[in-house]
Every structure is written in C-alpha cells, then in structure tokens.
Amino acid sequence: MDRIDALRLFCSVAELGSFTKAAEREAMTPGAASKQITALEQRLQARLFERTTRSVRLTDAGEALLDRVRPWLDEYDGLEQGVADARSAPAGVLRVAAPVDFGARRLMPIITQFMNDWPGVEVRLSLADRMVDLVNEGFDVGIRIGNLPDSALIAKRLAAACMSVVASPEYLARAGQPTHPSELAQHQIVIDRNKPAPHLLKFIRDGDEVEVRVNGRLTLNGAVAAVTAASAGVGIACCPRWAAEQALADGRVVEILTDWNSELRYLWAVFPSNRYLAHRVRLFVDFVADQFPDRI
C-alpha cells in the first residue's frame, strides 16, 4: 500500500505542479510528500521531477511513468471503490459548482431531493458565473451551460438548453414587434454579459442562418435579471427558455420570432478524470441527468 500511495502522490504532484498542493490533497505535510517522492525516485533509479523554487515539472522518465501509472491507478481505485460501493450507501461531502441563476432556480430543487434520498451525503454548493477550476478548487462536479473548452475533464451531456427571445407586451406595443431577426438591430436589446458573445445573436430557419449585432441601454450579467428587465419594458431579451418560463406563464413577457431557432446550447455535468469517480458523485450525476428532459 505504501508504494500505491507513493504512486498516487506522484500523479497528484504531476497534475497540480506543486508538492504543497499535492500534499494538501493527500492529507500530508509538504516535507513528507517530498521525502516520499525522493524515495520513489531512488527505488526506480530515475529522476521524475525537475524542481525549482518556482515550479515542478516532469522529466522524460516522469512523463513515461505517468502515462503507465495513471490508467492503472484509475482501474485499481475503481475496483476498490466498487467493492465499497456495493456494501454501503453513498456518504461524505459532495462539492458542486454551478452558475448562479441556473443553480438557484433549476438545480436547487434537484439537490434537495437528492439529499432527501441519500441522507448520508453532505452537499456544498458554490454558485458562481465564472469558469471554476474544479481540480485546483477542490470540486467533485460542475454544472455548466454552453460550449466546453478543451480540458482534461470528463463531460456528460444532460440536456439541450433552448433559447427564447422575449419582450413585454407594453414594449412591443410601443416599439413594434420584429418579424425577422435582422430587425432586432433597430430595437433595445438587454445585453447579458454572461454570454460568450453578448452583442451577437444567431438564428436559423430552414437552413437560412442569420447573425445580428445588437445593442441596448441596459447591460447586465444574468439570465433571470435579463428577463426581469424585459418584463419591465426595458427592451428585448434573448435568454435561456428555463429562465423565462415563469414570466411567460404569468404573461409578463411573450415570446417572439418563434418561427426561428436561436442558438442552441447544452447543459453539462463535468468532473475530473484523474480520479475514480466516488459513489456519491456517480450517483449525483446520474440523478441530475434523470431529472431533465431532452430539452429545457
């Protein structure tokens, strides 16, 4: 087991580029971590890391060892955890990161139901509209909407997140109702900075694609805030349909340009690939996936 622990520590140092961070993850002191890696290097008769005061990087021998050890450790952890999972209910701390609006409005009811079903799991939810670094910030799973950047994370697609274009009846009575996406350029648009390209809207119909550059007097960050602004008559909002559902049901806003499809985005669960997925994490991801229809 000491050798397995040393190899697991080696993988953590390689991933994090830091003895201090790896030691913290493996619940040991930096000094103990350094000694364990030194002992591993002596046993293998190879230098695994080039160390400076500012950085730690793999040598060629370290790269070769990492390529062979990481899949083996994943398989070993999987076998070990699988035995434990079969004998016990999920338990422990589950750290989840999610966007603010989506997390509060759509994810919270799912989390509370999950906690009711599995009382041994403690959930720590962090809501933020930035790209959270799951590995370095210690999260088990992140819920994200949109296109995913290339990374070492594993991603599970949960649903298609449809977009809607909405405005209040009062605004449309005053400013007129657009019948083609290009007309949005002449309207007040609520600009949501959380979008990758907040001033550019894309539409498609029967193979016809239209891109419209838009502007407006109000700029904010948050889909629910954009719908609230639209319901107050400030302008037109292009927002996720889930964010506008209640306002549409109440009649505070109406959907326009319904014969056009606006940009389609996806809802994802992402999690680190370097560790075996704990029982509570696997269970949570599957549970969340089951709660959403194909399109939201």
Side-chain angles (χ1 to χ4, degrees):
M1 288 303 296
D2 288 344
R3 294 191 177 189
I4 293 174
D5 290 341
L7 291 172
R8 184 173 285 110
L9 173 63
F10 162 74
C11 290
S12 290
V13 175
E15 176 194 335
L16 299 175
S18 165
F19 277 89
T20 300
K21 290 180 180 179
E24 183 178 352
R25 173 188 284 180
E26 304 300 332
M28 62 176 64
T29 65
S34 181
K35 288 180 181 178
Q36 197 167 115
I37 293 299
T38 298
L40 178 63
E41 290 178 321
Q42 290 173 348
R43 188 160 57 245
L44 297 176
Q45 297 185 343
R47 189 171 183 82
L48 302 176
F49 294 103
E50 295 291 351
R51 305 165 174 84
T52 69
T53 55
R54 293 187 177 182
S55 67
V56 176
R57 65 180 182 84
L58 287 166
T59 62
D60 289 344
E63 291 277 6
L65 179 63
L66 184 66
D67 287 343
R68 300 190 67 176
V69 164
R70 182 179 282 163
W72 180 86
L73 275 178
D74 286 343
E75 184 175 357
Y76 174 84
D77 288 343
L79 291 170
E80 188 179 67
Q81 190 65 49
V83 173
D85 289 350
R87 299 178 60 186
S88 63
V93 177
L94 177 67
R95 297 171 177 85
V96 182
V100 175
D101 286 344
F102 187 84
R105 180 161 292 195
R106 295 299 298 270
L107 192 61
M108 269 308 306
I110 295 173
I111 287 177
T112 54
Q113 183 59 54
F114 179 81
M115 294 176 70
N116 289 337
D117 290 352
W118 303 106
V121 178
E122 175 188 343
V123 178
R124 297 180 185 174
L125 174 65
S126 179
L127 300 178
D129 287 331
R130 62 183 177 86
M131 187 64 74
V132 174
D133 186 330
L134 299 184
V135 174
N136 286 330
E137 296 182 48
F139 287 99
D140 298 300
V141 60
I143 304 299
R144 293 178 178 170
I145 303 174
N147 296 324
L148 299 180
D150 291 336
S151 73
L153 299 176
I154 300 297
K156 179 181 178 67
R157 195 166 81 181
L158 303 176
C162 302
M163 304 292 285
S164 292
V165 184
V166 301
S168 70
E170 293 77 15
Y171 175 86
L172 296 176
R174 182 175 73 249
Q177 179 164 332
T179 58
H180 189 276
S182 62
E183 297 174 24
L184 293 174
Q186 281 72 55
H187 281 265
Q188 286 291 320
I189 307 300
V190 180
I191 306 298
D192 183 356
R193 291 196 309 273
N194 279 356
K195 294 180 181 178
H199 290 272
L200 188 65
L201 302 181
K202 299 179 181 180
F203 298 86
I204 186 170
R205 182 181 66 182
D206 300 329
D208 184 17
E209 296 185 16
V210 177
E211 290 188 355
V212 188
R213 184 159 294 278
V214 297
N215 282 289
R217 294 172 55 213
L218 178 61
T219 300
L220 44 73
N221 62 321
V224 172
V227 175
T228 301
S231 67
V234 172
I236 297 172
C238 184
C239 59
R241 187 165 296 165
W242 59 261
E245 283 176 344
Q246 191 59 56
L248 286 166
D250 295 343
R252 290 181 285 124
V253 295
V254 296
E255 193 169 3
I256 60 176
L257 298 173
T258 55
D259 54 337
W260 287 84
N261 293 317
S262 53
E263 188 174 7
L264 186 66
R265 307 167 78 190
Y266 291 96
L267 175 69
W268 306 87
V270 296
F271 38 89
S273 62
N274 63 302
R275 310 173 223 167
Y276 175 74
L277 207 58
H279 187 28
R280 60 186 176 275
V281 180
R282 280 192 291 109
L283 205 63
F284 177 75
V285 170
D286 291 342
F287 185 85
V288 171
D290 288 343
Q291 304 307 305
F292 289 111
D294 291 339
R295 301 170 76 90
I296 60 172

